[in-house]
Amino acid sequence: RLWLRNHAGRDERLGVPLTQLFQWIWPNVPCDHVAAMLTWVCLHEIDQIRQATPRLIDQGQRKGLESLFHAMDFGGKGYCTAEDIAGGRDQGIQAKLKNIVDADTVQAVCGDRRVSLEEFLELMCEDGFRAHEGAKQVVLADPPRGKGSPRGGSKLRQQTREVVGVTMWIRQDPPAWEVPKRNALEVEIRRWRHMAMLEAA
């Protein structure tokens, strides 16, 4: 405490970097070894923020959604428009009244684009499940935020952390404390790997 108060600089009072500790413990440690140790620490930190891989919808649900898509895909174009999903362009008043959703609502959600089968599966998939093997995003089945309010609708997304060679599922909108854990260590790993290359040259 006396040393911290009387001798330590501002940075030292804030704490000692992990890499500095490594160098104190192992004074002659090569840069590639420091990068390896940081990678182990990073993998441990990633385990604190990664989410379980969501399950795939079962085959029965998928077949039902595929049948619905093909019924809406008038003319077998291989995609649906907002109008297709809303029941088609040429509908009488009675048919429009029977539709669950109108074209304006579909456009508000999907935009004015062509919706492929995989996108349709993702839109219609049950919350908390992956619509197909290649799905990169899942809407969670959050509880309502309050009485009478809609479900939270937070999302998981698949992300690859190339620096440490990990593909994982994480929250799309993470809590504030989680964000630094995602990036800081990987920046250091890159730096020490670069120094290891210079050291080996």
Side-chain angles (χ1 to χ4, degrees):
R1 285 182 181 176
L2 288 173
W3 179 82
L4 277 174
R5 190 174 64 208
N6 298 324
H7 303 288
R10 178 180 173 278
D11 290 343
E12 290 166 317
R13 288 194 189 97
L14 292 174
V16 178
L18 185 59
T19 51
Q20 185 67 60
L21 284 175
F22 290 159
Q23 290 173 302
W24 283 349
I25 297 167
W26 301 287
N28 298 316
V29 63
C31 293
D32 62 332
H33 288 198
V34 174
M37 288 186 280
L38 286 172
T39 301
W40 299 334
V41 174
C42 188
L43 289 171
H44 174 75
E45 291 296 319
I46 281 172
D47 279 339
Q48 310 304 308
I49 65 173
R50 74 190 310 166
Q51 305 290 315
T53 301
R55 289 167 45 203
L56 280 168
I57 56 172
D58 63 45
Q59 283 302 307
Q61 287 176 302
R62 177 171 177 136
K63 284 179 181 176
L65 292 175
E66 286 178 346
S67 296
L68 183 59
F69 176 85
H70 294 306
M72 293 176 175
D73 177 12
F74 302 108
K77 306 179 296 293
Y79 63 85
C80 288
T81 63
E83 282 183 343
D84 292 334
I85 295 171
R89 181 176 296 177
D90 301 319
Q91 299 180 81
I93 293 173
Q94 291 301 318
K96 286 183 178 179
L97 290 173
K98 287 180 182 177
N99 285 343
I100 297 172
V101 65
D102 61 85
D104 290 338
T105 303
V106 178
Q107 272 192 329
V109 174
C110 304
D112 193 19
R113 71 176 193 276
R114 297 172 174 180
V115 177
S116 67
L117 173 59
E118 288 194 341
E119 287 179 291
F120 182 79
L121 291 173
E122 290 176 27
L123 285 168
M124 304 300 287
C125 177
E126 182 181 348
D127 288 353
F129 287 83
R130 283 181 295 149
H132 53 85
E133 284 285 356
K136 304 291 186 189
Q137 184 171 280
V138 167
V139 177
L140 295 176
D142 293 337
R145 294 193 179 100
K147 189 175 180 180
S149 66
R151 289 197 304 217
S154 61
K155 295 176 182 176
L156 293 182
R157 64 186 172 92
Q158 191 183 69
Q159 185 182 73
T160 299
R161 310 297 289 200
E162 292 180 4
V163 174
V164 290
V166 169
T167 298
M168 61 182 184
W169 287 86
I170 58 171
R171 289 190 176 274
Q172 185 163 299
D173 299 308
W177 62 265
E178 190 176 299
V179 176
K181 288 191 174 188
R182 294 189 179 188
N183 302 315
L185 280 168
E186 290 174 55
V187 170
E188 276 296 288
I189 291 167
R190 283 195 188 95
R191 190 169 75 85
W192 282 90
R193 284 178 182 170
H194 178 69
M195 288 194 292
M197 289 172 61
L198 296 177
E199 194 174 63

